[in-house]
């Protein structure tokens, strides 16, 4: 069954992430934890067709992730802040341009990309560089070139994009490292409760949000 082939492909994808990206994930967690501890802001730009929304103000997630809105946040970014960006190919023009400018301004940039994909395409930036070649830290989401994982008989295009599920998995792993690092620093990060569970919304409004406003975590 195609479903079983998909499940196997996902299991292999996540195993590859674990086998090859654990050290990089830990580095990303340390970078973000250090930023939070030092008063920095953590902004998530669009990650693989909006999986960043899995981390923005939701039950079980930290309060300190904020969705990056260029028109709202660009002028407030400062050295010490972290901007997380994503281009699976490593050459998406507006992403590369944004990351380049952020790096020039001293912003820490963590980029999700596919090294298999990015090393098979040409750059579009005037520098001649792709995303992984100039950001603070590049995380390989291990997606294949052109994204899709499976050949399906009778269909020309390959099926089942890899980068979204891999990037979501990676980002939660990074977040686990962030939380662990903050706790080791004596900082208890604000983790939100589900607003739809009894008492959750009150907890978020009376404990988590005030602490974030006061301490940044």
């Amino acid at each position: 069954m195609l479903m079983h082939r998909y499940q196997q492909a996902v299991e292999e994808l996540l195993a590859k992430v674990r086998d090859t990206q654990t050290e990089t994930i830990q580095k990303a967690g340390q970078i973000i934890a250090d930023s939070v501890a030092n008063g920095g802001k953590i902004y998530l730009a669009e990650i693989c067709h909006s999986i960043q929304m899995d981390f923005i103000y939701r039950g079980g997630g930290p309060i300190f992730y904020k969705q990056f809105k260029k028109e709202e946040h660009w002028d407030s970014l400062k050295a010490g802040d972290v901007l997380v960006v994503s281009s699976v190919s490593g050459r998406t023009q507006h992403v590369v341009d944004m990351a380049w400018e952020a790096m020039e301004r001293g912003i820490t940039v963590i980029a999700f990309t596919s090294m298999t994909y990015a090393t098979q395409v040409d750059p579009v930036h005037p520098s001649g560089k792709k995303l992984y070649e100039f950001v603070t830290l590049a995380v390989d989401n291990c997606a294949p070139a052109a994204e899709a994982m499976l050949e399906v008989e009778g269909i020309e295009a390959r099926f089942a994009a890899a980068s979204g599920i891999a990037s979501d998995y990676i980002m939660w792993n990074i977040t686990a490292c962030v939380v662990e690092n903050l706790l080791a620093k004596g900082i208890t990060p604000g983790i939100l409760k589900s607003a739809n569970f009894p008492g959750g919304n009150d907890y978020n409004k009376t404990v988590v949000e005030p602490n974030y406003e006061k301490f940044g975590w």
Side-chain angles (χ1 to χ4, degrees):
M1 290 180 66
L2 183 56
M3 179 183 71
H4 292 156
R5 290 181 59 207
Y6 171 73
Q7 291 171 351
Q8 181 64 34
V10 169
E11 290 172 4
E12 292 173 359
L13 174 68
L14 300 187
K16 185 176 181 180
V17 168
R18 291 193 297 272
D19 290 343
T20 67
Q21 297 305 298
T22 294
E23 184 176 346
T24 304
I25 286 168
Q26 291 171 333
K27 287 180 181 178
Q30 186 69 64
I31 287 170
I32 293 173
D34 288 348
S35 176
V36 171
N38 292 318
K41 302 296 185 182
I42 313 301
Y43 293 106
L44 308 183
E46 184 172 290
I47 302 173
C48 295
H49 303 276
S50 299
I51 68 100
Q52 77 279 0
M53 297 311 297
D54 200 25
F55 300 87
I56 306 297
Y57 205 93
R58 63 162 307 167
I63 184 70
F64 51 74
Y65 287 144
K66 303 299 179 185
Q67 184 173 17
F68 180 69
K69 299 177 181 179
K70 191 171 183 179
E71 67 281 0
E72 181 178 335
H73 298 127
W74 191 245
D75 291 336
S76 63
L77 279 172
K78 64 184 186 306
D81 291 343
V82 176
L83 177 63
V84 181
V85 302
S86 171
S87 169
V88 186
S89 67
R91 53 165 272 160
T92 308
Q93 178 123 27
H94 76 277
V95 176
V96 176
D97 289 346
M98 177 173 62
W100 184 272
E101 186 174 347
M103 289 292 294
E104 286 189 323
R105 294 172 55 178
I107 311 305
T108 299
V109 179
I110 297 173
F112 285 41
T113 194
S114 162
M115 292 300 296
T116 300
Y117 197 163
T119 53
Q120 294 186 40
V121 295
D122 295 326
V124 296
H125 194 266
S127 68
K129 294 183 182 296
K130 287 168 280 188
L131 200 57
Y132 71 92
E133 297 179 288
F134 66 85
V135 294
T136 309
L137 185 69
V139 185
D140 185 359
N141 60 32
C142 298
E147 275 276 13
M149 295 184 286
L150 299 175
E151 298 280 358
V152 180
E153 186 176 356
I155 301 176
E156 180 176 346
R158 289 171 65 89
F159 169 73
S163 65
I165 192 167
S167 296
D168 196 39
Y169 180 70
I170 289 168
M171 193 67 206
W172 277 113
N173 276 275
I174 289 173
T175 305
C177 293
V178 175
V179 169
E180 189 170 48
N181 275 294
L182 287 173
L183 289 171
K185 295 174 182 289
I187 294 171
T188 303
I191 304 298
L192 295 154
K193 293 185 178 182
S194 173
N196 291 310
F197 197 79
N201 190 57
D202 287 343
Y203 176 78
N204 295 339
K205 296 298 183 184
T206 62
V207 178
V208 178
E209 290 186 17
N211 279 351
Y212 178 74
E213 292 300 321
K214 185 175 181 180
F215 304 113
W217 39 259

